[in-house]
Amino acid sequence: MIIQNFDIETFFCDGVKKEFYIPKDRAYSRHRIEKMIAFDSTMLSKDIYGNYISTADNYKDVYITMYDANNQHVIIKEIPSQLLYDRCNIKMDVNAVIDTNLSKIIITDAASFATSLVVGMCYDTQAKGIVNATRQRSYTLNLVTPSKLVNKTLRSIGGYALSDKVINKIEISAVMAGVDVVPDGYLYLRERTGKVCNYMPLSMLHQKRAQLINTDTVYFDNYKIDMDNSFIRFNVAYDSVAVTFFYNE
């Protein structure tokens, strides 16, 4: 999976509202959505506002419908949101500009909710470059006892060493009490040619993600990262964290 742009969408469930339409004013609303990814509490504990994420049991009552903005044809109709889990490994691509007047999320049992539904939108704004995974080099930024970090810029943790590199892959590992765990938090990347990765959950970049959930490796569309305006944040504290950037020679 090649990520060109990524945005996070949060829908807070108050126990009453049963339908949430896809917002009209987001950057991805005007562009082709390639893929949607749903995140439950096993992948992410809190949304970007600090609200707790819905559990997998809650998500069984959530369905998604998407319409194509160009011809109003349905793309996906009331599919269970669990089929959009990153770990589900089912090919469920959107590949269309969506009609925000018709596309929505439906909750069949709203009374059981008091948490957030979180969905990631992978979208394209230009022709993709070719990700060259051969002859790669890597550079690792080690965060020793980082505690709970909020919006720590990549520059402040040593990212300047990568300012002139074209990044096509990022892996993150976290250790808590001597055990490797799935990192809980977000990565925000501002790219110097205009692409943006807006609050990507760190679970998508877990170093052992592909082998643990048997899913596609995440690549970035040749990112030239603005280290001053890119940051990482964690929802919990870890003993240590390693962020590894891969780039071509």
Side-chain angles (χ1 to χ4, degrees), residues 143-150 234-241:
L143 286 68
V144 180
T145 58
S147 70
K148 183 177 178 181
L149 301 179
V150 178
F234 298 95
N235 288 328
V236 297
Y238 296 105
D239 298 334
S240 63
V241 173

Side-chain angles (χ1 to χ4, degrees), residues 23-37:
K24 301 175 183 291
D25 58 353
R26 304 289 286 181
Y28 60 77
S29 301
R30 304 181 300 274
H31 299 287
R32 184 179 70 88
I33 304 292
E34 182 180 349
K35 190 177 183 67
M36 296 175 62
I37 301 172

